[in-house]
Amino acid sequence: MDRVSAHLPEAVAERYVDRAGGAWSVIHAQHLPKVVAYLKSDPELNFKLFVSIDAVDRLHLAENDPRFEVVYFLYSLTRNEHVRLKVRVTEANPEVPSLVPLYKGANWWERLTFDFYGIRFVGHPDLRRILMYDEFQGHPLRKDYAMRDRQPLIPERPIKDIFRGPGTSGLS
């Protein structure tokens, strides 16, 4: 991250080492695509493997503004190193630029984070729920989601019979 800080000094908001010894960089959301593109394209860094995205809801922490952190994990096969990035977003405007144009593997991870936390990824080609059904209200991994709330009943949807194939009734 020293190279990133030197190349894009306005992009890095904070750097720290966690209690397990992992180095983290907090990136300003608007600079995220430039930082990740630099990490991927610089031949000395070569972070070409996208590992995952997740989010953290900081609602019950003492310092909870901004409320959400979107965390990114990238890996360089040539350097055998991980890079850990965070982008902090507010509850009022939970938006982060999409990384799908840079990493196709980010597609479903961004959809998962949107589905469970409600964080929108600007520029995503198909941002819709991935595990919850469309009528599901709320985002189940947010700390303010009531676990005992009832979801609206929806009619059963017709599905294709993938076992017997078309045109068979399944009756002998």
Side-chain angles (χ1 to χ4, degrees):
M1 287 309 293
D2 291 334
R3 291 178 61 106
V4 172
S5 295
H7 185 71
L8 300 163
E10 70 283 357
V12 181
E14 177 185 347
R15 292 174 63 186
Y16 66 93
V17 176
D18 64 17
R19 59 185 168 187
W24 288 85
S25 295
V26 180
I27 307 296
H28 294 293
Q30 69 270 22
H31 298 292
L32 179 67
K34 287 188 284 187
V35 169
V36 172
Y38 179 71
L39 286 167
K40 183 179 180 181
S41 64
D42 187 302
E44 290 186 34
L45 297 176
N46 206 27
F47 284 94
K48 298 213 183 277
L49 181 61
F50 175 86
V51 179
S52 69
I53 298 174
D54 204 353
V56 177
D57 185 351
R58 304 165 27 137
L59 181 65
H60 297 305
L61 296 178
E63 295 179 25
N64 62 2
D65 189 35
R67 178 173 172 180
F68 299 104
E69 290 179 335
V70 182
V71 293
Y72 297 87
F73 301 93
L74 307 175
Y75 185 72
S76 172
L77 293 168
T78 55
R79 297 172 62 94
N80 193 25
E81 289 181 7
H82 289 272
V83 68
R84 299 164 193 88
L85 305 174
K86 284 186 181 183
V87 174
R88 294 186 175 137
V89 294
T90 63
E91 182 177 11
N93 187 26
E95 292 185 346
V96 178
S98 175
L99 293 184
V100 174
L102 296 168
Y103 293 104
K104 298 299 181 199
N107 190 326
W108 283 30
W109 287 102
E110 289 180 357
R111 286 180 59 191
L112 182 86
T113 305
F114 165 72
D115 195 2
F116 283 0
Y117 292 95
I119 297 169
R120 292 180 301 276
F121 292 87
V122 178
H124 191 281
D126 186 22
L127 193 61
R128 58 189 164 101
R129 290 193 179 268
I130 191 166
L131 293 176
M132 308 309 292
Y133 54 95
D134 291 334
E135 294 85 2
F136 190 90
Q137 295 174 355
H139 303 283
L141 289 184
R142 284 189 174 195
K143 300 290 185 195
D144 58 359
Y145 179 77
M147 291 188 337
R148 299 192 190 281
D149 271 359
R150 306 288 286 171
Q151 289 293 325
L153 292 176
I154 60 169
E156 187 173 334
R157 294 185 174 111
I159 60 170
K160 294 180 182 176
D161 189 340
I162 61 172
F163 297 105
R164 292 187 293 255
T168 60
S169 66
L171 300 174
S172 301

